[in-house]
Amino acid sequence: MIEVRGVHKSFGKLEVLKGIDCHIAPREVVCVIGPSGSGKSTLLRCINGLEQVNKGQIFIEGVEVTSSKVDINAVRQKVGMVFQLFNLFPHKTTLENITLAPIKIKGIPREEAETIAIELLRKVGLPDKDHVYPAQLSGGQKQRVAIARALAMQPRIMLFDEPTSSLDPEMVGEVLAVMKDLAHEGMTMVVVTHEMGFAREVGHRVLFMDEGIIEEDAPPAQLFDHPQQARTRQFLSKVL
Amino acid sequence: MSIHGLAVVANNFHLFLIGTLITLEITALSVGMGMILGLLIALMKMSRVKFISIIGVAYIDFFRGTPLLVQLMLFHFGILPLFFDTGPFVSAVITCGLNSAGYIAEIVRAGIQAVDKGQMEAARSLGMTHTQAMKFVVLPQAYKIVIPPLINEFIMLLKDTSLVSVISVAELTFRGKLLYSTTYEPVWVWGTVCLLYYVVTKSISMLGDWAERRLATE
Ligand SMILES: Nc1ncnc2c1ncn2[C@@H]1O[C@H](COP(=O)(O)OP(=O)(O)OP(=O)(O)O)[C@@H](O)[C@H]1O
Ligand SMILES: [Mg+2]
């Protein structure tokens, strides 16, 4: 489903990704952990073309995202992304946030898009918040709307970049619950997170990244309980 | 100061008012033109295509880096006659419009850049093209940021249109010059001209404050 081959990425002189290889199968939930600055966000952003790689290739369902000829907008319609700071459109209601892309990009009729949006709001537990502006929502509610917005494009893959890191602790659970439901429905997910409990419980695989490489790639039980690499052990001893 | 002066102003007040209207007309048309062209120039300057962005930069540099008075004479006597026969009014609108586009482009660019980068990224991540993201997400947020400096530019331009009197457009300042040269009542004539400019600019800035408050509570 996602194939990353020998990806290198630099910002100026700083090499952030130093040769990343990984394969993510359909319906798989892969959690990415690692210290700050290790390149986790950059990897996610390369996958949907928000950053351009310097070397290597990334394929999504056989389409080379890193090719200069790719229709990146078509690829992104299949890959939803959820950001740490939500990035909801503040000038639009939650309903409009969710329906904007389906209406403008896919040309879905407004009524149909709104029916889908209301269904999605119900799914993320906010059935009565359709005509509210983002400023009137709590952080946890914003993030759930952001997830609904991404799902409205009916993506095949969802990328999450620390979706709960900017939330107050009491709101983390509600967002993780929505993500867990999504995982159980069989969505292919890549989740950058500091929530080790979520990675262990929901993740099929955990990637530990450090200084631009994937140090360790293993099922959660193995990675958390029997880490093979010294760097992984060192990192886990600090966060667990 | 004299009864004579007061009579001059009273007897010619309709001429002052017509002049004020022409001033407003030139300003409104120029700002309208400046907004459309300014948005375009701003987008050009921000373009990733080097050639296009250089044109945007050069445009802004030229119109902000040279005096409007000189631009007026260059365009009215020099450049515009090469293409078509323009009267002074049309020359004035075109030149002021081109000039204000340079200033408005910078205002618009600052407004667009003040919108959080995450907005563009979120829109793009949904599959929107750059143009769609600009149109539906970034610009609707930028316009609120842009309104106060735009009102300011409106006022600056209104005052600067006094320069078009050099190409004999019969706006407020030109009427003042005519009347002064026949009556020699500087205080009454120029005082009235000043007052009329002030009334108009004050009205615009009050309108701007009102619009800003409306948008803030929206
Ligand atoms: N647009 C950019 N320009 C320059 N440097 C960047 C840019 N984006 C990221 N970096 C740098 O690349 C490195 C890796 O960043 P990245 O955001 O991928 O790390 P991360 O693993 O997501 O960290 P965190 O846990 O803090 O989010 C950092 O040193 C960061 O400063
Ligand atoms: Mg990050």
Side-chain angles (χ1 to χ4, degrees), chain A residues 45 48 50 72-73 76-77 79-81 83 86-92 97 100-101 104-105 149-150 153, chain B residues 48 116-130 132 135-141 144 218:
Chain A
R45 296 163 58 82
N48 75 351
L50 283 178
I72 194 68
N73 300 314
R76 287 181 182 141
Q77 290 178 39
V79 184
M81 180 143 183
F83 300 86
F86 332 122
N87 297 351
L88 289 179
F89 307 137
H91 60 303
K92 299 202 174 286
N97 263 276
L100 182 68
K104 299 298 184 190
I105 303 173
R149 177 178 69 179
M153 290 301 284
Chain B
R48 260 163 303 179
D116 178 23
K117 263 175 58 194
Q119 294 290 309
M120 173 59 92
E121 289 190 345
R124 294 304 306 268
S125 79
L126 289 163
M128 287 187 212
T129 62
H130 184 84
Q132 286 171 327
K135 185 166 158 202
F136 302 124
V137 176
V138 178
L139 290 179
Q141 294 180 62
K144 287 188 191 183
E218 205 173 69

Side-chain angles (χ1 to χ4, degrees), chain B residues 20-57:
Chain B
T20 309
L21 276 180
I22 294 174
T23 290
L24 270 170
E25 226 174 312
I26 297 170
T27 310
L29 290 170
S30 310
V31 166
M33 175 176 159
M35 286 208 283
I36 296 166
L37 193 59
L39 174 59
L40 194 77
I41 301 288
L43 294 174
M44 285 174 77
K45 179 167 174 178
M46 288 188 295
S47 168
R48 260 163 303 179
V49 184
K50 195 88 196 186
F51 174 70
I52 294 179
S53 98
I54 285 175
I55 296 177
V57 171

Side-chain angles (χ1 to χ4, degrees), chain B residues 22-158:
Chain B
I22 294 174
T23 290
L24 270 170
E25 226 174 312
I26 297 170
T27 310
L29 290 170
S30 310
V31 166
M33 175 176 159
M35 286 208 283
I36 296 166
L37 193 59
L39 174 59
L40 194 77
I41 301 288
L43 294 174
M44 285 174 77
K45 179 167 174 178
M46 288 188 295
S47 168
R48 260 163 303 179
V49 184
K50 195 88 196 186
F51 174 70
I52 294 179
S53 98
I54 285 175
I55 296 177
V57 171
Y59 183 98
I60 293 169
D61 278 358
F62 174 76
F63 282 100
R64 301 203 325 164
T66 57
L68 177 57
L69 183 61
V70 178
Q71 291 166 16
L72 278 165
M73 296 191 282
L74 174 65
F75 278 87
H76 179 60
F77 299 115
I79 293 177
L80 292 177
L82 297 178
F83 300 100
F84 46 86
D85 230 7
T86 63
F89 181 84
V90 174
S91 288
V93 168
I94 291 178
T95 313
C96 289
L98 291 172
N99 178 275
S100 78
Y103 288 90
I104 291 174
E106 282 298 84
I107 292 171
V108 169
R109 192 181 58 87
I112 289 173
Q113 285 175 346
V115 175
D116 178 23
K117 263 175 58 194
Q119 294 290 309
M120 173 59 92
E121 289 190 345
R124 294 304 306 268
S125 79
L126 289 163
M128 287 187 212
T129 62
H130 184 84
T131 310
Q132 286 171 327
M134 269 289 171
K135 185 166 158 202
F136 302 124
V137 176
V138 178
L139 290 179
Q141 294 180 62
Y143 97 99
K144 287 188 191 183
I145 302 170
V146 154
I147 281 183
L150 214 51
I151 296 292
N152 194 41
E153 166 58 20
F154 202 141
I155 290 170
M156 298 297 281
L157 184 65
L158 189 130

Side-chain angles (χ1 to χ4, degrees), chain B residues 112-211:
Chain B
I112 289 173
Q113 285 175 346
V115 175
D116 178 23
K117 263 175 58 194
Q119 294 290 309
M120 173 59 92
E121 289 190 345
R124 294 304 306 268
S125 79
L126 289 163
M128 287 187 212
T129 62
H130 184 84
T131 310
Q132 286 171 327
M134 269 289 171
K135 185 166 158 202
F136 302 124
V137 176
V138 178
L139 290 179
Q141 294 180 62
Y143 97 99
K144 287 188 191 183
I145 302 170
V146 154
I147 281 183
L150 214 51
I151 296 292
N152 194 41
E153 166 58 20
F154 202 141
I155 290 170
M156 298 297 281
L157 184 65
L158 189 130
K159 292 187 291 177
D160 284 349
T161 58
S162 62
L163 294 170
V164 308
S165 59
V166 297
I167 58 170
S168 308
V169 180
E171 44 66 75
L172 185 53
T173 302
F174 187 82
R175 307 247 170 196
K177 272 189 202 165
L178 275 188
L179 207 59
Y180 167 63
S181 65
T182 52
T183 61
Y184 298 100
E185 287 288 354
V187 174
W188 283 95
V189 169
W190 293 121
T192 307
V193 169
C194 263
L195 188 69
L196 285 168
Y197 273 116
Y198 174 74
V199 167
V200 174
T201 53
K202 187 71 187 171
S203 310
I204 296 172
S205 85
M206 277 160 59
L207 209 69
D209 288 347
W210 173 82

